[in-house]
């Protein structure tokens, strides 16, 4: 195999790549993050680099002028390495935080009539067990089950191997008094009890039991940290989805994820975003000391593609006719199964999607506003990077979806950009001067205009 040396200006150690590799692949090996809003299709022209010396072949020269080509400029996602090269990567657009990451979300109200005993599957209960002796040699697990059955009528529960390994020490540290966290899923046909955590000693029934709600947007990921006992939201954090650098819309990301190891990369990028936000949310709680390991339940919503990426499920079939998902309603699994940094056995419940581009974010919205129970004809719209509309009432519901955001955010508008620092976000006519007036995010010199600014204009 013929290999070539790729040297990036400012990086001490060159990388070695096989002949025929793309410059974007070499940049990734060198740990240089080059933005690819179109997912590496060569459509957006945002991954321009300059080849100072060496032999390359350009698959596409779109977005490049004759003068730029003569100076060695090329699209990293469309340029093939055919010799030793030296490359300069221009400063990349900084994806600055759009939303505050330390907001306290006290204003989020609990659903009327919320009852943790009736509405919450995760529970913490206190169990006092008999101490083993030479006459009573019941094993630790069945001793715990006996205590649960005698007091709460629970005769069986699922337990993970890691928790089983630690169970004996926890029971003895608590002197056979423990607080057990369970998740109980009941239906008409069955009842499944999962053992989430065992804590030594008695814990006040009113002490918080922590859960997080996660909304994975194509552009923004938002976390709410909630006390499952009261339903109170104690912290809210939001940040751009790290997947943005690999494509600004779901189609671009699906195409990128179809490359070698692309789906694993997409999964790790969104997990990094989620885990950082959970960490920030825990630090922002003022009344209590909360760690990630205290979180015993994770509820997730997102469009179908985002849920597939989170779980590392290939999403190529969603892009191609007849646009079929691998799965719409994900079975419950544990946080440790995919790497969400909370209690390892914490329940992760992905809300059910509908089909292709209509995901659980929309089904959750429809349910939350009671659209399925009202007689009034209602129109529900979510105009995000992925846009959905639902029309109907309790008698019928019909929905459709399209890729909405990137049409504004630089993929189809010459001065379009995300709603970040420097973006014009609002335009109006002054009632005093009758002149056009605008507002810029960050109160700085405008660099472009975002979707909300275009709609306002």
């Amino acid at each position: 195999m013929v290999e070539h040396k790729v040297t990036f200006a400012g990086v001490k150690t060159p990388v070695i790549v096989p002949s025929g590799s793309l410059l974007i692949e070499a940049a990734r090996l060198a740990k240089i993050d080059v933005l690819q809003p179109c997912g590496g299709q060569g459509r957006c022209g945002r991954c321009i680099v300059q080849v100072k010396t060496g032999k390359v072949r350009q698959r596409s020269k779109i977005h490049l002028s004759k003068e730029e080509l003569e100076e060695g400029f090329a699209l990293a996602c469309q340029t093939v390495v055919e010799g030793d090269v030296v490359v300069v990567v221009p400063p990349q657009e900084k994806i600055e935080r759009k939303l505050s990451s330390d907001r306290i979300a006290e204003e989020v109200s609990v659903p009327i009539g919320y009852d943790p005993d009736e509405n919450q599957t995760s529970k913490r209960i206190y169990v006092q067990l008999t101490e083993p002796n030479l006459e009573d040699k019941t094993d630790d697990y069945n001793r715990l089950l006996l205590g649960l059955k005698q007091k709460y009528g629970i005769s069986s529960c699922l337990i993970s191997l890691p928790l089983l390994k630690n169970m004996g020490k926890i029971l003895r540290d608590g002197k056979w008094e423990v607080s057990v966290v369970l998740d109980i899923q009941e239906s008409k046909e069955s009842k499944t009890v999962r053992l989430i955590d065992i804590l030594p000693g008695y814990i006040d029934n009113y002490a918080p039991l922590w859960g997080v709600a996660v909304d994975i947007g194509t552009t923004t990921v938002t976390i709410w940290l909630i006390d499952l006992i009261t339903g109170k939201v104690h912290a809210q954090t939001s940040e751009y989805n790290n997947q943005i650098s690999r494509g600004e819309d779901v189609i671009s990301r699906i195409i990128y994820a179809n490359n070698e190891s692309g789906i694993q990369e997409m999964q790790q990028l969104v997990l990094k975003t989620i885990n950082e936000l959970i960490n920030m949310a825990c630090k922002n709680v003022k009344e209590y000391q909360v760690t990630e390991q205290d979180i015993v339940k994770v509820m997730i919503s997102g469009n179908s593609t985002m849920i597939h990426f989170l779980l590392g499920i290939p999403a190529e079939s969603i892009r191609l006719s007849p646009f079929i998902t691998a799965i719409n309603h994900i079975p419950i699994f544990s946080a440790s199964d995919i790497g969400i940094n909370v209690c390892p056995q914490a329940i992760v419940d992905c809300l059910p999607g509908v089909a292709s581009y209509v995901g659980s974010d929309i089904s959750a919205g429809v349910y939350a506003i009671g659209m399925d129970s009202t007689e009034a004809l209602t129109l529900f719209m979510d105009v995000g990077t992925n846009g959905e509309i639902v029309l109907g009432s309790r008698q019928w519901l019909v929905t459709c979806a399209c890729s909405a955001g990137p049409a504004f955010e630089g993929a189809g508008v010459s001065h379009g950009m995300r709603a970040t620092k420097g973006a014009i976000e609002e335009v109006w006519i002054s009632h005093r001067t009758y002149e056009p007036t605008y507002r810029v995010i960050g109160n700085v010199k405008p660099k472009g205009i975002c979707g909300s600014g275009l709609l306002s204009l």
Side-chain angles (χ1 to χ4, degrees), residues 101-123:
S101 291
D102 57 359
R103 292 190 297 176
I104 302 300
E106 304 287 353
E107 72 279 2
V108 179
S109 48
V110 178
I112 295 173
Y114 177 81
D115 181 346
D117 293 326
E118 295 293 329
N119 306 123
Q120 188 51 250
T121 63
S122 295
K123 306 177 188 301

Side-chain angles (χ1 to χ4, degrees), residues 310-362:
L310 171 70
L311 303 179
I313 300 173
E316 180 70 2
S317 61
I318 300 177
R319 184 177 73 93
L320 304 173
S321 180
F323 316 110
I324 303 299
T325 56
I327 186 170
N328 285 318
H329 195 177
I330 310 293
I332 286 172
F333 57 92
S334 298
S336 60
D337 291 340
I338 62 168
I340 296 179
N341 189 21
V342 293
C343 174
Q345 286 75 47
I347 286 294
V348 179
D349 192 350
C350 296
L351 299 176
V354 179
S356 57
Y357 300 100
V358 182
S360 57
D361 48 353
I362 287 305

Side-chain angles (χ1 to χ4, degrees), residues 216-288:
I216 305 175
T218 311
T219 301
T220 304
V221 178
T222 303
I223 299 279
W224 291 265
L225 181 61
I226 303 161
D227 175 9
L228 301 177
I229 301 296
T230 63
K232 180 181 178 181
V233 177
H234 283 262
Q236 177 186 349
T237 54
S238 301
E239 182 59 282
Y240 279 124
N241 187 331
N242 279 324
Q243 294 174 347
I244 284 177
S245 61
R246 303 297 182 261
E248 291 191 345
D249 61 282
V250 293
I251 300 299
S252 298
R253 291 187 203 175
I254 291 173
I255 292 171
Y256 183 88
N258 203 39
N259 298 326
E260 184 180 357
S261 75
I263 186 68
Q264 291 84 1
E265 187 177 351
M266 284 300 193
Q267 182 183 34
Q268 292 309 310
L269 285 169
V270 73
L271 282 171
K272 182 175 184 290
T273 307
I274 291 171
N275 287 333
E276 287 175 350
L277 287 172
I278 290 174
N279 177 263
M280 278 191 282
C282 290
K283 290 179 179 178
N284 291 338
V285 176
K286 307 302 181 186
E287 306 97 313
Y288 304 95

Side-chain angles (χ1 to χ4, degrees), residues 54-109:
K55 185 180 180 181
V56 296
R57 173 172 52 85
Q58 299 196 40
R59 293 177 179 174
S60 172
K61 300 176 182 179
I62 299 174
H63 301 290
L64 297 169
S65 66
K66 181 181 177 182
E67 292 76 18
E68 287 175 323
L69 289 170
E70 290 174 351
E71 292 176 14
F73 286 97
L75 300 182
C77 72
Q78 298 293 311
T79 303
V80 178
V81 178
E82 295 186 338
D84 293 349
V85 294
V86 176
V87 183
V88 174
V89 179
Q92 295 293 292
E93 173 191 346
K94 187 178 179 183
I95 303 176
E96 298 185 70
R97 193 170 294 151
K98 181 179 74 167
L99 303 175
S100 168
S101 291
D102 57 359
R103 292 190 297 176
I104 302 300
E106 304 287 353
E107 72 279 2
V108 179
S109 48

